Amino acid sequence: MSLMSFFSRRTTAPVARDRLQILLAHERGIVGGKSDLVALLREEILNVIGKHVSVEREKVQIKLDRGDSISTLEIEVEIPSPASPRIAVNA
Amino acid sequence: MAKVLVVTSGKGGVGKTTSTAALGAALAHNGEKVVVIDFDVGLRNLDLVMGAERRVVFDLINVVQGDAKLSQALIRDKRLENLALLPASQTRDKDALTEEGVAKVLNELREKFDWIICDSPAGIERGATLAMRHADVAVVVTNPEVSSVRDSDRIIGLLDSKTEKAEKGERMEKHLLLTRYDTARAERGEMLKVDDVLEILSIPLIGIIPESEEVLRASNVGTPVTLSNPNSMPARAYFDAARRLRGESVEMSIPTEKKGLLNKLFGRRAA
């Protein structure tokens, strides 16, 4: 590290490179594959749950967090029943 | 044999039209017969950058629809006699472009020219997909900036799947043209470096065009930068890229602007 860079602000280009590498690793899989993986997983998981309980489509929350080595897909399904107010399925 | 080259990027404003004009003029300057085609229906600008905006009578859509002959629509460059422009329509709907129509025009052009350079519109809609559809070679114009790199990655995916070559199972020849590169900023870690972009996109490099005031100066007066100031840094980089497109091996140099102490102190002034 040179004296110049010691005094200057933290460099941002490595951050840009890392963000792109993570993002594109995922996008290539989705665009190159048959369909959107997230949409596919959502449909199949909802179909399985739908066999046993009635699910309202708009009461479904889906979150995705893409990480370097692992990604998490979080699907939260709200089931309107007084006995079991909420069941969260984490896939 | 004629080559159809598409200049594409996904993202707008990265330098597709500037590069089309500069590469077209550089190839023509080297004796090749070149036609540059504007595929940006409704938002044409290649005519303006080439300085031919007042000479447009017929356009690509007129030719596709049979309202004009190809020879009537082609505008011969006033500086280089073996350089021609086929402008886009400014008023017609972009749906007037059909795949068969474009193929027919390109086949006719293949008999008259060595290079057919298609200036793609931004985006991944009809105009962009038609511009790349029949290409033999692609130049992907990218800025060292996250959104441009991401969009280029997407375009590379389309070049490998939605083109005629790809559908026939052939390999589409793709080259990266890195534009608006600032070596000093990249060295300071403020901008993605050439190697970063190459590692992410993993297609071969055809040229590095430095960020330069010359590019705006050239478009102001409607002259490709390779003709307006052939000795400027961007022009030399475009000339090198054009030679590489012709198959010559030219050593890749990362452009550096040598600044004297006075220049450093007082900044860049208009030359």
Side-chain angles (χ1 to χ4, degrees):
Chain A
M1 187 184 277
S2 70
L3 200 64
M4 273 284 281
S5 62
F6 180 77
F7 284 109
S8 64
R9 286 163 296 167
R10 264 193 71 207
T11 57
T12 50
V15 181
R17 190 193 54 215
D18 293 348
R19 288 177 61 218
L20 273 170
Q21 274 170 337
I22 292 168
L23 171 72
L24 293 179
H26 287 276
E27 281 191 348
R28 282 172 190 153
I30 290 164
V31 175
K34 277 178 200 135
S35 68
D36 189 337
L37 179 67
V38 179
L40 195 74
L41 285 174
R42 188 189 68 166
E43 284 311 307
E44 290 196 7
I45 291 168
L46 287 180
N47 281 340
V48 171
I49 298 168
K51 277 186 196 166
H52 307 286
V53 282
S54 63
V55 175
E56 275 186 67
R57 286 272 153 160
E58 53 272 28
K59 296 272 171 70
V60 178
Q61 294 272 346
I62 295 165
K63 285 180 198 160
L64 177 70
D65 192 5
R66 289 162 172 166
D68 205 347
S69 51
I70 55 158
S71 303
T72 56
L73 176 69
E74 193 179 309
I75 301 182
E76 190 181 291
V77 186
E78 205 176 294
I79 297 164
S81 152
S84 55
R86 238 177 192 205
I87 295 172
V89 179
N90 282 305
Chain B
M1 210 181 87
K3 271 200 171 175
V4 177
L5 184 155
V6 61
V7 178
T8 184
S9 70
K11 191 178 181 298
V14 296
K16 284 181 296 297
T17 302
T18 299
S19 299
T20 301
L23 289 174
L27 285 166
H29 192 265
N30 286 333
E32 308 259 347
K33 282 182 274 180
V34 182
V35 59
V36 289
I37 312 179
D38 195 343
F39 272 82
D40 206 344
V41 176
L43 290 169
R44 74 168 174 225
N45 275 317
L46 189 56
D47 54 335
L48 198 54
V49 171
M50 297 282 294
E53 72 278 10
R54 294 195 293 177
R55 299 167 63 206
V56 176
V57 183
F58 295 112
D59 56 56
L60 176 61
I61 288 181
N62 291 140
V63 179
V64 165
Q65 298 194 329
D67 299 330
K69 281 186 186 156
L70 188 56
S71 55
Q72 294 175 302
L74 284 174
I75 303 171
R76 198 168 287 276
D77 191 87
K78 285 198 167 168
R79 297 148 299 213
L80 293 167
E81 62 165 18
N82 48 341
L83 176 62
L85 162 73
L86 183 55
S89 170
Q90 187 70 334
T91 50
R92 302 292 279 276
D93 195 85
K94 63 179 185 304
D95 294 332
L97 277 184
T98 59
E99 196 187 318
E100 301 73 39
V102 170
K104 195 164 161 277
V105 172
L106 290 178
N107 282 333
E108 219 176 310
L109 289 169
R110 275 178 195 271
E111 291 175 9
K112 293 183 180 138
F113 294 93
D114 302 316
W115 289 90
I116 300 152
I117 308 183
C118 306
D119 182 20
S120 172
I124 51 172
E125 303 297 321
R126 190 182 184 83
T129 49
L130 275 178
M132 70 168 68
R133 183 80 193 144
H134 310 279
D136 304 307
V137 193
V139 165
V140 180
V141 183
T142 308
N143 289 169
E145 182 269 327
V146 287
S147 50
S148 174
V149 175
R150 180 197 211 173
D151 291 0
S152 291
D153 190 77
R154 186 78 201 278
I155 282 293
I156 291 168
L158 293 178
L159 287 166
D160 286 334
S161 61
K162 304 282 183 201
T163 52
E164 226 174 33
K165 267 208 148 179
E167 285 175 7
K168 277 194 277 181
E170 292 172 29
R171 199 184 64 87
M172 167 68 95
E173 190 184 326
K174 302 174 294 288
H175 301 281
L176 178 73
L177 184 68
L178 196 59
T179 55
R180 306 199 68 167
Y181 191 70
D182 186 329
T183 309
R185 296 198 73 185
E187 286 304 320
R188 288 200 299 268
E190 295 174 13
M191 181 182 268
L192 289 169
K193 285 188 183 180
V194 179
D195 289 343
D196 293 335
V197 182
L198 282 176
E199 191 192 329
I200 292 166
L201 296 178
S202 52
I203 58 170
L205 186 65
I206 196 85
I208 307 162
I209 314 299
E211 170 82 66
S212 168
E213 296 170 359
E214 267 327 303
V215 172
L216 180 58
R217 246 181 233 139
S219 82
N220 282 344
V221 295
T223 308
V225 71
T226 39
L227 299 182
S228 69
N229 189 352
N231 288 319
S232 63
M233 298 287 299
R236 275 160 38 193
Y238 276 120
F239 271 114
D240 282 354
R243 287 171 61 194
R244 290 185 196 106
L245 278 175
R246 296 174 75 197
E248 291 178 45
S249 86
V250 184
E251 203 191 330
M252 189 71 66
S253 61
I254 296 180
T256 46
E257 213 166 336
K258 288 196 179 68
K259 279 190 189 176
L261 181 65
L262 280 177
N263 251 324
K264 274 184 183 159
L265 286 174
F266 298 108
R268 276 184 286 180
R269 293 269 175 83

